[in-house]
Amino acid sequence: MGKRTASAETLKPDPRHDSKLASKFINCIMWQGKKATAMRIFDGALEQIKKRMPDAEPMDVFTQAVEHVKPTVEVRSKRVGGATYQVPMQVNKKRQQSLAIRWIIEAARHKSGRPMFLRLADELMAAYRREGEAMTKRENTIKMAESNKAFAHFAW
């Protein structure tokens, strides 16, 4: 398992949006410690959302998008008697949030040919409407858990 970081305890809310979720999201966008660039990408994405969806509040769109992408169940590999089974398990709140953030950013990064803030805005709006690559990833995860329900008795 990866090393636990202190970021969850020491994380301060984003100064501009006063949101811990936004702060976490910016930290996940960040590469090589370039926080100003990550903030510029995030703020640019929110500006795009404001332009394209004038009736909706950008921060609400962002938080709803993350909520929509959160998975409820996932499969975990469990080794029982020499065989490895994909066992469906409930996902705890912290992991739900981190998976949702990771999937949205990953989906935005995989598109190419446009600036990152535009790709991120597109992905957030798609997730808000329950569409897009991140939502597809969530659906596939849940579908996989459904199809492996037979091995649920191995979850202990």
Side-chain angles (χ1 to χ4, degrees):
M1 206 136 107
K3 192 176 91 179
R4 286 187 53 90
T5 61
S7 69
E9 290 81 42
T10 60
L11 188 70
K12 291 182 177 69
D14 181 53
R16 184 174 291 174
H17 309 288
D18 196 39
S19 162
K20 277 197 173 191
L21 180 63
S23 189
K24 190 77 170 162
F25 198 84
I26 289 167
N27 285 347
C28 291
I29 292 172
M30 181 170 58
W31 264 345
Q32 297 179 347
K34 300 195 176 210
K35 194 160 196 163
T37 306
M39 287 175 106
R40 208 168 31 248
I41 289 168
F42 183 72
D43 292 337
L46 291 185
E47 283 296 316
Q48 279 299 312
I49 291 170
K50 195 176 203 170
K51 279 184 195 168
R52 294 193 209 161
M53 300 173 82
D55 55 320
E57 186 65 36
M59 272 309 284
D60 292 340
V61 171
F62 164 67
T63 50
Q64 278 299 314
V66 173
E67 284 298 316
H68 290 170
V69 177
K70 284 182 179 179
T72 50
V73 287
E74 68 176 343
V75 289
R76 286 266 176 84
S77 295
K78 188 78 100 175
R79 195 167 165 84
V80 180
T84 307
Y85 298 106
Q86 295 285 348
V87 180
M89 290 186 160
Q90 292 292 317
V91 186
N92 70 20
K93 294 279 182 221
K94 208 177 269 188
R95 184 161 166 77
Q96 279 184 359
Q97 185 183 23
S98 65
L99 283 174
I101 289 170
R102 194 181 313 156
W103 290 344
I104 290 170
I105 292 170
E106 199 176 282
R109 282 186 179 145
H110 281 300
K111 295 175 183 153
S112 61
R114 295 167 66 216
M116 180 61 184
F117 74 95
L118 292 174
R119 294 180 281 165
L120 185 60
D122 285 347
E123 196 55 47
L124 286 170
M125 288 188 294
Y128 179 71
R129 294 188 305 267
R130 296 183 190 273
E131 301 167 356
E133 205 176 302
M135 280 302 288
T136 307
K137 180 96 169 165
R138 175 187 185 268
E139 298 304 323
N140 289 344
T141 303
I142 292 172
K143 216 176 280 178
M144 215 149 119
E146 286 290 318
S147 64
N148 285 304
K149 249 190 183 151
F151 305 121
H153 63 282
F154 288 125
W156 60 77

